[in-house]
C-alpha cells in the first residue's frame, strides 16, 4: 500500500491490512484534487545571505511532497515561474507568480467532483434517474433528517422527531409532535444534475433547490443525500 506521504508499505497478511485500515485517519481538511501541476517544476534554494546555492527540479507529486516536507532545511526557497497547471477538464493555465497560483487553486477548488472519501466512486450519480429518486422517496416510509448542514452549521439536531412522507402526487407531509404540515416536492434533471425542490411551510432550512449527490441502499436502510453549490448538505434516511 502507499500512504499519503508516498511511503510504500508491504502488507504480509490480512490482519496487518486490517490494522492499517483501522488506523487510517479520515482527514476532514479540504483536499484539492481539481488541479494538477505540470512537471517538471524548478525551485531556487537560497542561503542566509540571500545567495542561490542550489536549484531543485521536482518531477512528480511524490517529489513535490518530499520537497515541501523538507522546506525547513532551507533558509529560503523560490519557485521559478512560469509554471503550468492542469484543470479537471484538461485545460491548462500558465502561472507567473505566487498570487496567480493562489488564484488558480481557489478557482479550481470546487470545479469537479473530488470523490474525497474512503469509498471511491460511491457518490457518482451518472446512472441516477428521476424515476429512481421518486420511487425511493415514495415507496420508503418515515424519512427523517440524518444530516443538515447550512453555512457550515449542523442543524439536524433541531429536526429530531420530524418525519417526512412523500407521495406520488408531489406532496410531502411532515409530522412532528403530533402536528402535520403539508408541502410539495418536485424532481427533475438527470445523472449528476438531478434537482430536488422541496417547499414546506415553516421549514426554511430544508426548503429550496437541492442536487442529488448519492442514493445509498443497504440492508434495512436507505440514505438519500443532497447538496447545494455552496456546500450545504441534506441527508434523508429511512429504515427501508
Amino acid at each position: 500500500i502507499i500512504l499519503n506521504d508516498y511511503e510504500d508499505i508491504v502488507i504480509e497478511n490480512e490482519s496487518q491490512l486490517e490494522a492499517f485500515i483501522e488506523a487510517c485517519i479520515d482527514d476532514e481538511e479540504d483536499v484539492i484534487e481539481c488541479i494538477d501541476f505540470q512537471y517538471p517544476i524548478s525551485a531556487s534554494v537560497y542561503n542566509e545571505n540571500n545567495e542561490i546555492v542550489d536549484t531543485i527540479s521536482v518531477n512528480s507529486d511524490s517529489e513535490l511532497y518530499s520537497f515541501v516536507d523538507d522546506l525547513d532545511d532551507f533558509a529560503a526557497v523560490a519557485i521559478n515561474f512560469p509554471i503550468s497547471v492542469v484543470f479537471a477538464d484538461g485545460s491548462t493555465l500558465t502561472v507567473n507568480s505566487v498570487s496567480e497560483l493562489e488564484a488558480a487553486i481557489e478557482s479550481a477548488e470546487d470545479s469537479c467532483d473530488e470523490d474525497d472519501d474512503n469509498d471511491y466512486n460511491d457518490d457518482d450519480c451518472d446512472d441516477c434517474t428521476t424515476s429512481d429518486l421518486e420511487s425511493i422517496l415514495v415507496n420508503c416510509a418515515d424519512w427523517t433528517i440524518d444530516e443538515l448542514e447550512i453555512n457550515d452549521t449542523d442543524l439536524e439536531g433541531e429536526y429530531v422527531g420530524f418525519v417526512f412522507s412523500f407521495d406520488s402526487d408531489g406532496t410531502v407531509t411532515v409530522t412532528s409532535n403530533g402536528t402535520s404540515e403539508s408541502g410539495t416536492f418536485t424532481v427533475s434533471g438527470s445523472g449528476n444534475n438531478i434537482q430536488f425542490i422541496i417547499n414546506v411551510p415553516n421549514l426554511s432550512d430544508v426548503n429550496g433547490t437541492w442536487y442529488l449527490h448519492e442514493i445509498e441502499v443497504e440492508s434495512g436502510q436507505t440514505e438519500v443525500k443532497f447538496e447545494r453549490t455552496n456546500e450545504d448538505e441534506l441527508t434523508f434516511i429511512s429504515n427501508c
Side-chain angles (χ1 to χ4, degrees), residues 33 112-124:
E33 297 176 350
C112 68
D113 180 6
E114 298 178 90
D115 215 348
D116 231 0
D117 53 39
N118 294 329
D119 188 4
Y120 179 75
N121 223 26
D122 69 318
D123 56 356
D124 287 339

Side-chain angles (χ1 to χ4, degrees), residues 11-140:
I11 302 298
E12 303 287 352
N13 52 54
E14 185 175 351
S15 61
Q16 284 186 11
L17 179 60
E18 290 175 350
F20 269 98
I21 293 173
E22 200 65 33
C24 183
I25 298 173
D26 185 10
D27 193 348
E28 293 294 333
E29 294 182 5
D30 289 335
V31 178
I32 301 170
E33 297 176 350
C34 300
I35 188 171
D36 288 312
F37 292 108
Q38 203 167 62
Y39 297 105
I41 296 172
S42 70
S44 298
V45 179
Y46 294 80
N47 62 17
E48 290 80 359
N49 298 320
N50 204 31
E51 300 168 333
I52 296 178
V53 295
D54 195 8
T55 299
I56 296 176
S57 180
V58 177
N59 298 286
S60 65
D61 287 344
S62 60
E63 289 185 15
L64 180 61
Y65 182 95
S66 298
F67 173 65
V68 173
D69 196 44
D70 293 337
L71 282 179
D72 289 342
D73 296 340
F74 312 120
V77 173
I79 297 174
N80 295 323
F81 293 99
I83 65 173
S84 294
V85 293
V86 183
F87 296 105
D89 62 1
S91 62
T92 61
L93 175 69
T94 299
V95 176
N96 297 289
S97 65
V98 172
S99 61
E100 288 185 16
L101 179 59
E102 290 175 347
I105 292 173
E106 288 178 2
S107 69
E109 187 173 4
D110 298 316
S111 64
C112 68
D113 180 6
E114 298 178 90
D115 215 348
D116 231 0
D117 53 39
N118 294 329
D119 188 4
Y120 179 75
N121 223 26
D122 69 318
D123 56 356
D124 287 339
C125 238
D126 294 330
D127 298 323
C128 294
T129 67
T130 54
S131 297
D132 292 337
L133 178 57
E134 290 175 337
S135 177
I136 286 174
L137 291 176
V138 171
N139 292 323
C140 290

Side-chain angles (χ1 to χ4, degrees), residues 185-226:
F185 76 97
T186 60
V187 175
S188 62
S190 62
N192 286 298
N193 192 35
I194 293 178
Q195 295 184 23
F196 170 75
I197 302 175
I198 184 170
N199 184 21
V200 181
N202 303 315
L203 292 187
S204 58
D205 294 326
V206 178
N207 289 340
T209 301
W210 297 87
Y211 292 88
L212 179 62
H213 179 62
E214 179 183 5
I215 298 174
E216 185 175 305
V217 180
E218 295 181 350
S219 178
Q221 191 174 84
T222 300
E223 289 186 3
V224 179
K225 300 180 181 181
F226 299 98

